[in-house]
Amino acid sequence: MDKLRKRAETLFRAGVAAADPARGVRAALPEVLTDPPGAGGRWQIVALGKAALAMTQAAREALPEAAILVVTNPENMPASAPDGIRVIAGDHPVPAEGSLAAGRAIIETLEALTPADRLLALISGGGSALAVAPVGGVTLADKAEVARALLGSGADIVQMNLVRQHLSRLKGGGWCAHTAAPVTALILSDVPGDDLRVIASGPTVGRIGSVDEAADLCRYFDIWTKLPAAVQARLSGAEAVRPTAPAQNVLIGGNALSVAAMLRAGAQEGPFALAGRVDNLAPRIAALLAEMASGEVLVFGGETTVALRGKGRGGRNQELALRVACAAEAAGISGDWVFLSGGTDGRDGPTDAAGGVVGPDSLERMRLAGLSPEAALAENDSYPALMAADALLMTGGTGTNVADLAVLIRG
């Protein structure tokens, strides 16, 4: 399995490398620079997301005099902020005080700009939680409660961000409502399909759907009664009209480009995407494994969801890997194989692992360590189970984020 695992990790790294945010920013900047600030104006860069620092460094090469505000996750924070750059650590996946401070800083920065200034927004995944500015009547604690309910409901990222947008002054085009300056956004996609309204909840784009659709979604996932009263009131009210100036939004990278890089590295594309709940997807992957020829290598991209029932530690990629190992055992699949599933940002859920890498001996190792894979899944506790089997994918923060990648190899 060691040889197969090395191959899988090499392919995963090739996918992550293809999502280099700096490369995408450099390619897009020449067009941005054709509209310079007016008389007395200046460039303002505001970068939000897990790839914010890498995107900012590339933009600063072309705009060395720009004022810069960066909001990113704690794992990507530099030891000290580069000269001339203000860096704020938000909170992820549940917003907290850091996220609230980041939201305030963004609004203050945007509102200080004039029509002569130019705003370059650098947007990447994770921004929905990293910076928050609740609408009137909704508190930070309310926002955190909504985030926890959505994360545990099985809702996908489109559905979660639809709800978030109606509770925020910044999301769903909110940045444009807070500034008089023309806005250009360079956007690194972490969502399947690359819908710009979904990435970081579309701060320079617009809303995914109506307030009524957001409320109906909460009822569908049976979380309506768990929502704070202020949130229920907001989602039961009239549609809030938000006049915004149009922004120029430019997609500079996404999950499909990373999958393409893995294909160039010698793999074949899997017949379906990483999508839906992991407990439904894992048996499909195991069934595919049973049909694969020796030496066949398949890669996948996308993003799954997990329904939280327990209070364990893990993430969607770790749980998918553990469920695939269990499904392969249940199907009686013999021979050597490996399955890797990882987040391109290097962090899967609230853990320090990017995901999991499992093979035919992974479950045996867990059981020899006194852990039950089945009990771990019942408690959403995949991290310690995978750790016991030396099956965690550890990469550290990658500085990018284009959703998830997976590799399936038949020995």
Side-chain angles (χ1 to χ4, degrees), residues 33-404:
L33 298 178
T34 61
D35 180 27
R42 62 185 175 88
W43 280 103
Q44 173 70 58
I45 297 172
V46 179
L48 170 66
K50 294 181 178 179
L53 278 170
M55 296 175 80
T56 297
Q57 289 162 0
R60 198 182 196 192
E61 294 170 5
L63 299 169
E65 302 302 319
I68 302 173
L69 171 64
V70 173
V71 176
T72 193
N73 54 319
E75 292 77 14
N76 288 334
M77 285 288 287
S80 59
D83 289 343
I85 300 180
R86 182 184 180 190
V87 185
I88 299 176
D91 305 282
H92 191 277
V94 177
E97 290 294 336
S99 303
L100 190 63
R104 290 196 193 103
I106 290 174
I107 289 176
E108 290 169 1
T109 300
L110 298 180
E111 291 183 342
L113 299 177
T114 72
D117 298 320
R118 297 293 182 267
L119 174 65
L120 177 60
L122 305 176
I123 308 297
S124 56
S128 296
L130 291 171
V132 297
V135 294
V138 176
T139 67
L140 174 62
D142 293 337
K143 292 274 285 186
E145 192 61 32
V146 171
R148 282 189 286 266
L150 288 168
L151 286 166
S153 70
D156 64 26
I157 189 63
V158 178
Q159 295 162 328
M160 286 194 289
N161 287 356
L162 164 60
V163 176
R164 286 163 157 166
Q165 287 176 342
H166 289 281
L167 303 174
S168 173
R169 297 165 60 198
L170 288 174
K171 297 172 174 59
W175 285 26
C176 299
H178 282 285
T179 188
V183 180
T184 298
L186 304 184
I187 302 173
L188 184 68
S189 173
D190 68 330
V191 301
D194 300 331
D195 186 337
L196 301 187
R197 300 171 302 169
V198 180
I199 303 158
S201 292
T204 62
V205 189
R207 289 177 176 147
I208 301 164
S210 69
V211 68
D212 290 336
E213 289 173 316
D216 289 344
L217 193 66
C218 293
R219 294 187 180 96
Y220 173 80
F221 283 105
D222 197 26
I223 62 172
W224 180 260
T225 58
K226 301 176 185 177
L227 301 180
V231 172
Q232 292 182 1
R234 176 66 189 86
L235 297 182
S236 300
E239 190 79 30
V241 178
R242 174 181 287 159
T244 62
Q248 180 184 4
N249 294 294
V250 181
L251 179 69
I252 64 168
N255 188 263
L257 295 178
S258 290
V259 173
M262 298 165 79
L263 299 180
R264 290 193 299 271
Q268 295 177 285
E269 189 165 8
F272 47 79
L274 298 177
R277 283 178 33 171
V278 294
D279 50 346
N280 296 326
L281 185 61
R284 295 180 66 194
I285 293 173
L288 187 60
L289 175 61
E291 298 172 357
M292 290 171 63
S294 177
E296 192 172 357
V297 182
L298 299 177
V299 295
F300 310 78
E303 186 171 287
T304 58
T305 62
V306 173
L308 295 180
R309 299 184 178 89
K311 298 182 178 180
R313 189 178 182 206
R316 61 180 180 261
N317 289 286
Q318 294 165 66
E319 183 155 328
L320 177 59
L322 181 52
R323 286 188 178 277
V324 167
C326 290
E329 181 184 69
I333 296 173
S334 59
D336 208 3
W337 57 271
V338 70
F339 175 72
L340 176 153
S341 186
T344 53
D345 61 350
R347 185 180 184 219
D348 184 37
T351 76
D352 58 356
V357 192
V358 295
D361 63 346
S362 297
L363 300 186
E364 181 183 3
R365 290 187 177 194
M366 294 174 199
R367 290 169 181 140
L368 288 173
L371 296 177
S372 163
E374 295 78 14
L377 289 173
E379 284 297 315
N380 300 113
D381 203 25
S382 53
Y383 182 95
L386 293 173
M387 176 183 282
D390 189 26
L392 289 171
L393 175 64
M394 307 293 287
T395 65
T398 64
T400 191
N401 184 27
V402 292
D404 303 332

